[in-house]
Amino acid sequence: MLNDIEEIVFSEKQIQKRVKELAKKISNDYKGKKLTLVPILKGATVFLADLIKNITIHLNVSFMTVSSYKNTESKGVIKLTMDLKDLPEGRDFLIVEDIVDTGRTVNFVLKKLKTVNPKSVKICTLLNKPSRRLKDVNINIDYTGFNVPDKFVVGYGMDFNESYRNLPYIAVLKQKIYKQQKETCLPAGREE
């Protein structure tokens, strides 16, 4: 697996430092509020785990699974495969994403959460890829770990055809890996 890496974009040390900074800001911003984190599975799992270990206020977590990727390309259709179990009104929701790419997925989740009369809904993403944002998607990202260039990245929860999530850093794979995987047509569950 390590031989498949072309370049490391963000090291484990860089990620951990930035996650702690985000957690501190979130803790300060939501002090005394009823915060519910809404991570988008599966990609946000690792980010969520590190983030909540560093948040110093009371919080709830309610999961959603949304998918739109196959291989390295967005299918363009958002598929909700697991909805939130608890949607209490009047809470502060914080959507937790691994990466915001075109913005379709987070926009879909944002609209869904706004239907339950929240006190507020904000967005926290580890990676932001503004160069890929669709013109018709108007979102405001409140907490960003890193802006990332227009490269398909894996690691730290992000996958390519369900592999590489367990890398402790964020990396780009060698081109030959993408070509081999496309030929075998393995399914993927990558969010955007």
Side-chain angles (χ1 to χ4, degrees):
M1 180 169 75
L2 299 179
N3 292 331
D4 298 346
I5 302 302
E6 178 72 32
E7 73 174 290
I8 294 175
V9 181
F10 299 107
S11 70
E12 183 176 10
K13 186 176 180 179
Q14 288 174 297
I15 295 167
Q16 292 306 315
K17 180 179 184 284
R18 188 65 183 130
V19 169
K20 287 177 183 174
E21 292 168 354
L22 290 171
K24 183 177 181 180
K25 182 155 179 40
I26 291 166
S27 297
N28 290 333
D29 291 352
Y30 286 95
K31 190 174 185 177
K33 297 181 180 180
K34 295 178 179 179
L35 178 61
T36 298
L37 298 182
V38 181
I40 309 305
L41 300 179
K42 301 175 190 171
T45 306
V46 178
F47 178 40
L48 172 73
D50 287 342
L51 189 65
I52 63 175
K53 285 189 286 188
N54 290 285
I55 292 177
T56 59
I57 60 169
H58 293 284
L59 57 85
N60 292 356
V61 179
S62 193
F63 298 94
M64 286 182 83
T65 305
V66 182
S67 180
S68 66
Y69 265 80
K70 180 172 182 157
N71 294 316
T72 62
E73 296 298 319
S74 170
K75 296 180 285 188
V77 177
I78 307 301
K79 183 176 166 185
L80 177 65
T81 55
M82 184 176 84
D83 203 352
L84 299 172
K85 295 196 185 216
D86 301 316
L87 286 172
E89 290 189 9
R91 290 192 72 94
D92 292 295
F93 290 103
L94 182 60
I95 299 168
V96 179
E97 262 285 33
D98 56 347
I99 186 168
V100 176
D101 191 316
T102 64
R104 282 188 191 119
T105 300
V106 76
N107 192 47
F108 175 87
V109 174
L110 194 60
K111 286 179 181 177
K112 178 148 184 65
L113 289 175
K114 286 184 177 179
T115 66
V116 298
N117 301 317
K119 189 170 182 182
S120 70
V121 182
K122 292 187 177 183
I123 301 165
C124 176
T125 186
L126 179 64
L127 300 180
N128 181 31
K129 198 184 289 186
S131 63
R132 298 252 311 145
R133 196 84 73 246
L134 296 175
K135 288 182 175 34
D136 63 339
V137 175
N138 186 17
I139 56 172
N140 180 42
I141 300 175
D142 304 279
Y143 304 95
T144 300
F146 304 97
N147 283 322
V148 66
D150 190 8
K151 295 180 180 182
F152 189 85
V153 292
V154 297
Y156 198 71
M158 290 169 276
D159 72 302
F160 175 66
N161 287 338
E162 295 297 328
S163 292
Y164 306 100
R165 290 187 194 277
N166 56 321
L167 293 173
Y169 47 78
I170 296 168
V172 175
L173 297 175
K174 294 177 181 172
Q175 285 297 316
K176 70 177 186 175
I177 304 302
Y178 300 126
K179 290 176 185 174
Q180 289 170 356
Q181 294 285 336
K182 282 183 180 181
E183 291 169 6
T184 61
C185 297
L186 293 174
R190 181 74 174 266
E191 292 81 33
E192 64 176 300

